[in-house]
Amino acid sequence: MPRLVVVSNRLADPRKSAAGGLAVALAEVLNETGGLWFGWSGRTVEPNEGGRGGEGRLHTQHAGPVTLVTVDLSREDHDSFYAGYSNGVLWPVFHYRLDLADFDAGYITGYRRVNQMFARKLKALLRDDDIIWVHDYHLIPLAAELRALDCHQRIGFFLHIPLPPSLILAAIPGHDWLMRALFAYDLVGFQSKADLLHFTGYVEAEAHAHSMGEGRWRAFNRTLQAGSFPIGIDVEEFESLTRAPEGREMFERMRREYSRRNLLVGVDRLDYSKGLPQRMKAFREMLERYPEHRSSATLIQIASPSREDVSAYSDILHELETLCGSINGNFGELDWMPVRYIHRTVARTRLPGLYRASRVALVTPLRDGMNLVAKEFLAAQDPADPGVLVLSRFAGAAEQLRDALLVNPYDVEGTANAIHLALQMPVEERRNRHAALMSVIREYDVHWWCDSFLDALVQAQPEETGTPWLRL
Ligand code: ADP
Ligand code: F6P
């Protein structure tokens, strides 16, 4: 059996809690397959400690069947590669937010330097028959850098975030360089059919690629397989977390504490793509329009701190705090606070109980690659008395979860009406919707995602020997 080598910027110890869809899903996959997980250590070092240009030290750690190898970044590389290019350019543009992008010309040099450093460090750890699976926007040029070092292994790439239409992508200075780099992979996977369409639209229009049929595209003298592989959760694992003593205890505590209330829940990284201010405005509008929910509806919003060194993130933090404060100030009573806002990552074992005690989940991102919280909420419900999922039509998950209450999160009034509908939905309708949604998330779970991607990677037709590798 070839070894699976996963490469991502963010790693997590598979035995501990993490916030972020990528870390949660990969921890689940690797716990089962075993293998090597390579990426950033999460630490920045001073240049004299780690060396300039990100030549950081490697750290090796064993976590069950997984070997984690991580590398430190210099402060300069962290600022240009992670905060700068990845989260200041690619994240906003790929989430359709050109207004928030900071196109500083210096960032791309750091981005390329760190990808080259990752390639050098990783090459030394590779075996000839490894299958390499690279994840997310931080590492788009990694395969091209590995190829430049003569790595011939199968390499696949999965984009966890959305891919916008070509006219938005084309706003990135150097977009052609970036998209060309994808052709060094054997397989490129996206979360949704819409993202895949944007990719094929781009490569046809901008790179004059032509279709070879069955998802194969030829450009730059290379052939690439492209497909959509919507990521899922480990439904069984989440169900057993729900049944575990800690899950049950949390559920009972929440039920006791909020016995006279209808709970609504939101769980997100504190990110402007998650639509948190719009969600609060919709909740406020719902209280305004439907006074019968005053004194009963309580929204628990958990938002884990994220990327606090990027300025757009501190702006959203202040906006959210102000909104929560004003809703509580305007609507709150001595014995009822409409919003409980918690700026923290909560232990993963406590989430199922919280989800199960909630009548409604608000998953209303302005744009999201997939959104795993939507699927976790469904898996934690009691099928006989399930809660209702209010889901943004702009989350990748909406392509699959058609039986959720789909909303346009920019439409505050429409979302407020949907929240009211969800709070009032009769049990029969809740059961039917939940059963239909569960059958989708069971079929397309995290194991399906991993197996279907890796099967497609193994089956992707190799280039003829002697074809020159794409050079960046
Ligand atoms: P993203 O990858 O953009 O953060 P997803 O919804 O796909 O969004 O994945 C988020 C993952 O992180 C889920 O597994 C969720 O349970 C977890 N998570 C998000 N916010 C928190 C939080 N505040 N506390 C604990 N876990 C969180
Ligand atoms: O799932 C999308 C994603 O951007 C991952 O790539 C990332 O690891 C996660 O969200 C959390 O972000 P960060 O790694 O910047 O904390």
Side-chain angles (χ1 to χ4, degrees):
M1 270 289 279
R3 179 177 64 158
L4 177 62
V5 175
V6 165
V7 193
S8 60
N9 176 62
R10 175 74 62 189
L11 272 77
D13 183 330
R15 298 159 304 186
K16 296 188 188 144
S17 301
L22 178 150
V24 170
L26 289 180
E28 253 146 26
V29 164
L30 277 163
N31 258 337
E32 203 157 287
T33 59
L36 176 69
W37 192 356
F38 181 87
W40 176 38
S41 63
R43 290 183 11 170
T44 50
V45 292
E46 293 308 317
N48 58 355
E49 215 189 304
R52 261 184 83 84
E55 295 296 331
R57 223 175 297 133
L58 288 184
H59 308 273
T60 304
Q61 205 189 326
H62 297 281
V66 190
T67 304
L68 304 167
V69 180
T70 57
V71 60
D72 298 336
L73 291 183
S74 69
R75 167 60 55 191
E76 184 188 343
D77 280 348
H78 170 271
D79 291 352
S80 55
F81 157 77
Y82 176 74
Y85 199 71
S86 298
N87 289 319
V89 177
L90 298 182
W91 179 273
V93 175
F94 281 31
H95 286 86
Y96 299 61
R97 293 298 300 269
L98 287 175
D99 58 316
L100 293 178
D102 174 8
F103 295 115
D104 182 311
Y107 293 158
I108 196 157
T109 317
Y111 183 73
R112 177 134 198 220
R113 189 167 60 227
V114 171
N115 272 274
Q116 284 168 340
M117 185 269 283
F118 266 43
R120 279 196 308 278
K121 299 280 176 186
L122 181 62
K123 180 183 160 65
L125 306 170
L126 289 178
R127 300 175 191 157
D128 285 346
D129 65 343
D130 280 340
I131 297 274
I132 306 172
W133 191 1
V134 178
H135 293 261
D136 238 356
Y137 57 102
H138 316 85
L139 299 174
I140 291 173
L142 186 67
E145 301 298 358
L146 284 168
R147 301 302 189 203
L149 299 174
D150 226 16
C151 292
H152 292 262
Q153 289 85 349
R154 282 300 167 99
I155 315 183
F157 176 79
F158 185 78
L159 184 69
H160 287 253
I161 65 174
L163 190 77
S166 50
L167 279 180
I168 295 185
L169 265 182
I172 302 176
H175 60 96
D176 40 353
W177 172 83
L178 196 71
M179 296 301 281
R180 184 175 129 99
L182 286 174
F183 278 80
Y185 290 96
D186 298 296
L187 170 67
V188 174
F190 300 94
Q191 295 275 26
S192 68
K193 293 196 182 79
D195 298 330
L196 178 61
L197 259 175
H198 295 155
F199 172 74
T200 58
Y202 178 95
V203 295
E204 270 185 309
E206 302 276 337
H208 309 295
H210 64 270
S211 165
M212 318 261 298
E214 296 177 348
R216 301 177 74 227
W217 291 88
R218 185 135 187 102
F220 313 114
N221 220 13
R222 304 276 314 155
T223 304
L224 155 99
Q225 179 85 36
S228 80
F229 304 87
I231 197 168
I233 61 163
D234 187 336
V235 177
E236 278 168 27
E237 187 249 12
F238 214 80
E239 285 174 331
S240 59
L241 271 184
T242 312
R243 288 189 299 266
E246 213 176 324
R248 286 214 312 269
E249 197 252 335
M250 181 69 181
F251 168 72
E252 274 151 24
R253 240 178 58 206
M254 298 305 290
R255 271 284 157 98
R256 255 196 326 271
E257 183 70 26
Y258 293 96
S259 57
R260 293 185 300 119
R261 316 274 183 231
N262 275 325
L263 271 191
L264 299 97
V265 68
V267 175
D268 309 78
R269 275 183 311 100
L270 184 41
D271 194 296
Y272 51 79
S273 64
K274 302 292 180 186
L276 294 168
Q278 288 80 355
R279 185 181 304 173
M280 289 303 155
K281 288 177 192 164
F283 183 64
R284 180 176 66 194
E285 180 70 20
M286 189 280 293
L287 294 175
E288 197 76 71
R289 288 177 165 226
Y290 304 101
E292 63 268 36
H293 297 301
R294 294 187 200 160
S295 297
S296 73
T298 298
L299 169 59
I300 299 188
Q301 176 61 56
I302 303 180
S304 58
S306 189
R307 306 175 195 165
E308 287 174 317
D309 41 4
V310 179
S311 63
Y313 287 75
S314 34
D315 296 348
I316 198 88
L317 170 72
H318 293 126
E319 193 180 353
L320 188 59
E321 282 175 354
T322 308
L323 271 165
C324 292
S326 87
I327 296 173
N328 282 339
N330 291 332
F331 291 92
E333 304 285 351
L334 284 176
D335 62 348
W336 171 65
M337 278 298 149
V339 181
R340 300 203 66 176
Y341 162 64
I342 298 155
H343 185 213
R344 210 173 310 137
T345 299
V346 305
R348 189 160 179 73
T349 46
R350 306 181 76 190
L351 288 177
L354 172 63
Y355 290 145
R356 196 177 175 96
S358 302
R359 171 58 70 226
V360 177
L362 299 183
V363 180
T364 53
L366 302 179
R367 199 56 71 170
D368 212 333
M370 174 54 56
N371 199 290
L372 294 182
V373 169
K375 297 183 175 184
E376 292 171 353
F377 173 77
L378 293 169
Q381 297 306 302
D382 173 0
D385 185 19
V388 180
L389 175 63
V390 175
L391 178 64
S392 161
R393 57 175 294 180
F394 303 126
E399 237 180 47
Q400 295 181 297
L401 304 180
R402 308 305 298 173
D403 283 285
L405 282 186
L406 296 183
V407 296
N408 167 7
Y410 294 96
D411 175 1
V412 167
E413 291 176 4
T415 307
N417 290 340
I419 298 174
H420 167 65
L421 246 178
L423 283 167
Q424 286 201 316
M425 191 179 286
V427 68
E428 201 53 36
E429 184 177 350
R430 285 191 275 124
R431 280 189 198 141
N432 292 341
R433 285 179 184 265
H434 179 253
L437 292 165
M438 280 306 289
S439 75
V440 177
I441 67 165
R442 260 189 222 294
E443 184 173 352
Y444 299 101
D445 68 357
V446 75
H447 307 294
W448 173 88
W449 173 68
C450 178
D451 294 347
S452 59
F453 185 92
L454 292 177
D455 284 352
L457 178 55
V458 170
Q459 279 164 26
Q461 268 176 331
E463 285 289 344
E464 282 169 30
T465 6
T467 311
W469 291 117
L470 175 139
R471 300 267 169 213
L472 282 182

